[in-house]
Amino acid sequence: MKRWISLLMILLVLSPVYAVEAKSPEVYIPLGDSLAAGQTPNMAIDAGYTDLISQELKRANLLGFYSKGLAFPGYTTSDVLKTVQSTEAKELLANATLVTISAGANDLLRLVQIKPASGMVTYSQVSANFALNNVRKNMQEIIKEVQATAPKAKIYVMGYYFAYPHVHESQKEGVGKELDKLHTILQTVAEQNGATYISVEESFDGKEKELVPSVGDVHPTLEGYRQMANSFFSKYNSRMLVYEHELPKPNPLTFEELIENRNQSNNGSTQTQANALPINRYLSFTNGNYIAMVLQRILS
């Protein structure tokens, strides 16, 4: 009998146990830009870090609902703030228990002009300073809006990796300093307003060229998104981890298909009750004309 008890104790120790704070399944609503949406280096939308987070939560029986419909490529902090202030978004966020926010990079990086052939990067310092100040103000308002709308939600603000690993070494220092300023702003605003900041730079360190493979595109591979998801879990629950063999097979969606899916949602096929809808990749509550404008900005 003692042998059986000892064996049982050993099995319990060796078995993976998820000691999470949540006592009930999470209602996970990510907000933000192309990283939250899952944009690939090939100008398509597929599984991103938010999908991998939801996948791991589901595997641990901790996911009740997930939608990344409030995330879209090209979104700045101003776009995200407008989104969370909308009536439709408030209805979706009302039941949220977990919110991640990716915003701020587009405010800054849209000012950066990169020439892939020469590896040169240029930007205006004055414009960059103005953009970073907007990030500070807007991110604070975004967090406050989410807290007011989703009082039960744990809020995580995602940092960024170095987006230009293929430019000349002499060009990296300047834009790198601006990204460091962005990270400092995001971390400071998050911590001052009761949110948790997630740094992802360390997980990309030394592997930037591999994880951001396109010379003319700043988006990571699926492995890069896995690193981002695991950076999140290091703060959410360090016992949870997305392993390489758990990555889903590629299933890209073109921007045109994304627009079509969103238009169908806007025509009334979307349910907004968190407990009435299973995982849905592309719910949308954004005006179709605005989406077209954002898409045009991305492709230009």
Side-chain angles (χ1 to χ4, degrees):
M1 183 67 177
K2 290 183 179 180
R3 290 180 59 190
W4 283 108
I5 293 175
S6 299
L7 179 60
L8 178 61
M9 292 178 66
I10 292 172
L11 291 174
L12 288 173
V13 170
L14 294 177
S15 299
V17 177
Y18 294 126
V20 297
E21 295 179 1
K23 296 182 180 180
S24 58
E26 299 278 25
V27 175
Y28 176 32
I29 308 295
L31 304 169
D33 52 26
S34 54
L35 296 186
Q39 185 169 333
T40 73
N42 302 312
M43 293 293 291
I45 300 294
D46 207 339
Y49 79 85
T50 62
D51 300 283
L52 298 180
I53 289 172
S54 71
Q55 174 184 284
E56 183 66 10
L57 290 172
K58 183 179 181 182
R59 192 174 73 84
N61 295 318
L62 292 174
L63 183 68
F65 175 82
Y66 162 66
S67 168
K68 62 178 179 180
L70 300 182
F72 196 75
Y75 270 14
T76 63
T77 54
S78 295
D79 298 322
V80 176
L81 180 56
K82 290 177 183 177
T83 298
V84 299
Q85 289 173 335
S86 68
T87 301
E88 295 86 356
K90 287 181 181 295
E91 291 176 358
L92 183 61
L93 284 166
N95 296 303
T97 62
L98 174 61
V99 173
T100 55
I101 306 172
S102 284
N106 283 326
D107 298 65
L108 180 64
L109 299 187
R110 64 179 178 173
L111 304 175
V112 177
Q113 302 296 320
I114 182 171
K115 298 180 180 179
S118 62
M120 302 295 289
V121 174
T122 59
Y123 63 93
S124 165
Q125 186 63 63
V126 173
S127 298
N129 292 342
F130 181 78
L132 289 171
N133 190 48
N134 276 340
V135 170
R136 180 183 292 105
K137 293 187 295 184
N138 289 337
M139 183 57 71
Q140 181 170 311
E141 290 302 314
I142 291 167
I143 294 173
K144 288 181 177 179
E145 285 284 347
V146 174
Q147 289 172 334
T149 304
K152 297 180 181 179
K154 300 175 291 292
I155 303 173
Y156 294 82
V157 175
M158 303 294 294
Y160 292 89
Y161 48 85
F162 184 71
Y164 302 105
H166 302 280
V167 301
H168 287 312
E169 291 299 322
S170 60
Q171 298 287 300
K172 292 181 179 180
E173 183 177 356
V175 69
K177 287 182 178 179
E178 301 307 317
L179 285 168
D180 287 342
K181 293 177 185 177
L182 173 64
H183 296 152
T184 299
I185 289 170
L186 294 176
Q187 181 174 5
T188 301
V189 172
E191 293 175 351
Q192 288 179 346
N193 290 275
T196 301
Y197 176 72
I198 305 295
S199 174
V200 303
E201 290 179 280
E202 296 83 357
S203 62
F204 276 65
D205 188 32
K207 301 176 288 186
E208 290 90 348
K209 289 185 178 180
E210 174 187 347
L211 300 179
V212 188
S214 178
V215 176
D217 191 281
V218 300
H219 298 92
T221 61
L222 186 55
E223 172 61 20
Y225 281 124
R226 185 177 78 89
Q227 296 295 335
M228 293 183 69
N230 286 338
S231 294
F232 163 81
F233 282 121
S234 70
K235 290 292 184 72
Y236 176 84
N237 178 0
S238 60
R239 295 194 179 194
M240 300 182 75
L241 199 66
V242 181
Y243 292 95
E244 189 173 357
H245 70 269
E246 295 175 325
L247 293 176
K249 294 181 179 180
N251 184 28
L253 191 70
T254 67
F255 284 113
E256 289 76 14
E257 290 170 330
L258 176 60
I259 295 296
E260 179 62 27
N261 280 11
R262 284 178 167 248
N263 285 339
Q264 290 177 1
S265 294
N266 287 336
N267 288 333
S269 60
T270 305
Q271 301 179 52
T272 59
Q273 294 300 318
N275 60 0
L277 189 65
I279 294 177
N280 188 305
R281 295 172 68 196
Y282 306 107
L283 292 180
S284 172
F285 303 100
T286 308
N287 179 272
N289 292 331
Y290 181 73
I291 294 175
M293 179 187 71
V294 173
L295 180 60
Q296 183 177 15
R297 183 170 66 190
I298 297 167
L299 298 177
S300 61

